[in-house]
Amino acid sequence: MSDDNGDDESTTRRAAPSRTSSTDRGRLEPSTGAHAAGALPDSLNIRVDLPPAPRPEMPEDEVAVAIDDVAVNPGSVVGGDSSTTSVEVITPGLSGGYRSSYRRDASPYGALLAADASKLRRERVSTNTGSHVAVVDVPDDQLAPAEVPEPSESLTADRLIDLNRTTRPAPHGGFNRFLYEASLHLVNLGDSAKVQAHKALSARIQKRFEGGARFVPVLTRKGGVGKTTITTLLGMALADARDDRVIAIDANPDRGTLAERVDRQTRETVRDVVTKAPSIGGYTDFSGFVSRDETRLDILASDTDPTLSEAFDDDDYNVVAGLAARYYSLVLTDCGTGIVHSVMRATLQRADAIVVVSGGSVDEARLASETLTWLEANGYGELVRNAVVAINLATQGTHLVKVDEIEAHFASRVRDIVRIPYDPQLAAGSVVHWDELRPVTRLASRELAALVVEGLPVDRGH
C-alpha cells in the first residue's frame, strides 16, 4: 500500500509544474466555477501595436530661416573665464540688376536670405528622420549675374507707363476696335491676341544693331529652288517691319532675276556701281542705282548681259558691299546658282549669318544638305550651326515627300527651319507685291526674318 501511495504522490508532483509552465507562457486553461479564480496568474503582460509616429514636416516659409540642431558633447566644453567678444556682421547685398542698388531689406532674416545670392545656398533635405536644412554649393553658371548699368533704351513706355483706360493705346482692328469706337472710347479692351502676336513678331524683327552693317547671303547649290524668291520675301519682311535701310544685292555671276521681283525704277546695275564708285559720296548718290518697292526694300540688279556678268568677281563684290555697308543696316546677297563661283568667297567672308534654301523634293533637299557639308569642310562651320534653312514648298514634288523628315534632318545641323508655303503670286515669277501675298505667306516670311535677325550679332565692335 505504501508503494502505491508513493507513486501517486510522485505523479502528482510531476504534473504540477506542467500546469504552472503553461500559465507562465500566457495561456490559460479553460476553467469554470470556483476553479476559475485560482487559475488566473498573479500578473499579465499585454502588448498593443500602435502606428508609427508621424514624421515632422517643416513649412515652406520656414525653410529659408531654419537653423539646424547640432548635438553638443558636454564633455568637450572647456571651462574658463567668461568673456565678451564683438563681431562685425556684414550682410552681402542681393544682386539682381539695377533694383538692388536702392532697395534695402528691412527683414531681420536678411542675412540668411542673402545667402541665396552667394555660392552657398540653404535647401531643405528630406531623410528618414524628417526634414532638415542643408547648405549646398551653387555652380558658377547658376549664380546671379553681376550688376551692369542699364542702357537708356531700357526706359521704354511699356515699362514706365501704368496702363489703364486712359493711358492704354487704342486697339488696332477687329472687334476690340469696334467696341472702342462704339463706346466713345470708354471701353478699351486693348489689342486682341492676334494683334499682340503680330506686334511681338515685329519687335523681334526690329532688333537694333551697333557697329556697322550686317551681311546675310542667301545661297544653295541648286538652281530653280526659289532662292531669288526667298531673298525677295526676306528683304520685304525686314524692310516692312524695320525703320532702317535694307538692301538686297543680286550677285549672280550669271544673269540674275532679283530686280524683276520689284518695279524697276532704274537700269543701273552692280557693274555701274563698280565703275562709278569714286563719284558716290552719299546715300543720295547711291540711291540712284537701286530700285525701291512699297516696303522700302532697295534692290541692286545684276547685269543683264551674261558676258558682262561673268566678269563680276570677288573684288567687284567687295567694292559694292563696302559702299552698301555705309548706307544700310542689313545687306542681303542673292548668291546665284552654285557655291564655287568667284563671288562666293568674298560673300562668305563678310557673312554674319546665312540662309540656305531647299526645295521639297528628294534631290533638292540632298543638295541643300551638301551645301552645308561644303561650308563645314571649307571652314564655315560656325555659319552652318547658326544658319536658317528655308524650305520652299512651291517646288515640284513637295506633295510626294515627307517634309517633316526633311525638316528633322536639317534640325540636326542648323539653328532653325522655316517652311515657305505655296503662293500663286510667287508662282507667276513676276513682280511681288507684299500686300497682295497670302497672309500665311507673309507670316512665314516674317518668321524667317525674325529668326535671321535673332542670329545676328548685336555689336561687332566696328
Side-chain angles (χ1 to χ4, degrees):
M1 293 296 292
S2 62
D3 294 339
D4 294 339
N5 292 338
D7 294 339
D8 294 339
E9 291 176 359
S10 63
T11 301
T12 303
R13 284 194 296 268
R14 286 194 300 270
S18 176
R19 184 183 64 181
T20 304
S21 176
S22 176
T23 303
D24 292 341
R25 289 195 301 268
R27 297 194 303 271
L28 298 177
E29 299 295 336
S31 302
T32 58
H35 299 285
L40 293 175
D42 296 336
S43 63
L44 293 176
N45 294 328
I46 301 175
R47 186 180 66 181
V48 179
D49 293 332
L50 297 176
R55 296 169 57 183
E57 295 291 339
M58 181 177 295
E60 295 290 343
D61 55 353
E62 296 183 8
V63 173
V65 296
I67 300 178
D68 292 334
D69 294 334
V70 180
V72 178
N73 184 6
S76 63
V77 179
V78 180
D81 297 335
S82 60
S83 62
T84 301
T85 303
S86 298
V87 178
E88 182 180 3
V89 178
I90 301 177
T91 303
L94 291 174
S95 61
Y98 67 98
R99 293 180 176 86
S100 62
S101 61
Y102 64 87
R103 288 189 177 179
R104 184 181 301 277
D105 188 2
S107 171
Y109 306 111
L112 293 176
L113 296 176
D116 289 339
S118 64
K119 285 191 175 183
L120 298 180
R121 185 172 65 212
R122 304 175 68 86
E123 293 184 356
R124 186 172 65 178
V125 179
S126 297
T127 62
N128 295 332
T129 59
S131 297
H132 305 279
V133 177
V135 178
V136 298
D137 290 334
V138 181
D140 293 337
D141 56 353
Q142 297 183 11
L143 293 177
E147 297 181 15
V148 293
E150 284 193 338
S152 59
E153 289 80 3
S154 63
L155 298 176
T156 61
D158 293 338
R159 173 179 172 183
L160 301 179
I161 298 178
D162 186 14
L163 295 180
N164 51 47
R165 185 178 62 85
T166 58
T167 60
R168 178 181 296 161
H172 291 76
F175 175 77
N176 291 5
R177 180 70 182 188
F178 169 78
L179 184 61
Y180 177 75
E181 297 293 347
S183 64
L184 301 179
H185 301 179
L186 295 178
V187 179
N188 188 351
L189 300 180
D191 292 324
S192 63
K194 182 178 179 180
V195 174
Q196 292 179 11
H198 181 86
K199 290 184 176 181
L201 189 56
S202 297
R204 293 169 57 192
I205 302 175
Q206 294 167 357
K207 186 177 75 171
R208 297 182 178 275
F209 305 109
E210 300 292 340
R214 302 297 187 271
F215 287 81
V216 181
V218 181
L219 50 90
T220 187
R221 292 192 65 179
K222 186 181 188 319
V225 297
K227 175 183 50 58
T228 299
T229 300
I230 299 301
T231 305
T232 304
L233 293 177
L234 174 59
M236 288 182 174
L238 290 169
D240 183 67
R242 299 179 63 88
D243 56 4
D244 48 10
R245 300 191 187 112
V246 181
I247 186 174
I249 301 175
D250 193 342
N252 195 336
D254 301 320
R255 184 185 184 281
T257 59
L258 180 62
E260 298 177 5
R261 295 298 188 268
V262 299
D263 293 322
R264 294 198 64 172
Q265 300 156 6
T266 179
R267 307 307 300 178
E268 304 287 352
T269 65
V270 291
R271 173 59 52 198
D272 297 307
V273 174
V274 174
T275 303
K276 302 176 182 178
S279 63
I280 300 176
Y283 174 73
T284 303
D285 298 332
F286 190 87
S287 63
F289 296 89
V290 300
S291 299
R292 171 169 290 194
D293 78 329
E294 61 268 22
T295 64
R296 299 181 307 104
L297 171 65
D298 289 347
I299 290 183
L300 180 59
S302 65
D303 286 313
T304 57
D305 187 349
T307 59
L308 295 178
S309 296
E310 282 291 339
F312 188 77
D313 56 15
D314 52 350
D315 293 333
D316 296 333
Y317 176 80
N318 283 327
V319 172
V320 175
L323 289 173
R326 297 180 187 178
Y327 314 120
Y328 294 89
S329 298
L330 289 171
V331 180
L332 307 181
T333 304
D334 185 356
C335 295
T337 304
I339 54 177
V340 293
H341 51 77
S342 59
V343 184
M344 182 57 64
R345 175 176 298 179
T347 302
L348 293 176
Q349 288 176 348
R350 289 179 176 268
D352 296 289
I354 61 174
V355 176
V356 177
V357 181
S358 171
S361 64
V362 175
D363 61 333
E364 291 168 344
R366 184 180 294 120
L367 287 173
S369 182
E370 291 177 359
T371 302
L372 300 176
T373 303
W374 184 91
L375 292 171
E376 291 174 337
N378 287 271
Y380 301 104
E382 186 63 29
L383 285 177
V384 171
R385 288 184 290 272
N386 190 40
V388 178
V389 172
I391 303 178
N392 185 12
L393 300 181
T395 59
Q396 296 180 356
T398 300
H399 63 287
L400 300 177
V401 300
K402 300 177 181 178
V403 181
D404 291 341
E405 294 297 326
I406 297 178
E407 187 170 321
H409 167 76
F410 287 116
S412 65
R413 308 193 64 180
V414 301
R415 179 167 55 89
D416 223 317
I417 304 101
V418 177
R419 300 184 185 185
I420 305 299
Y422 170 82
D423 194 293
Q425 185 180 167
L426 300 178
S430 182
V431 176
V432 177
H433 296 283
W434 177 255
D435 293 336
E436 297 178 6
L437 293 171
R438 297 169 58 195
V440 64
T441 305
R442 291 199 302 268
L443 178 60
S445 304
R446 284 167 53 83
E447 181 64 27
L448 174 62
L451 291 173
V452 170
V453 169
E454 289 173 349
L456 297 175
V458 177
D459 190 351
R460 292 194 311 178
H462 63 278

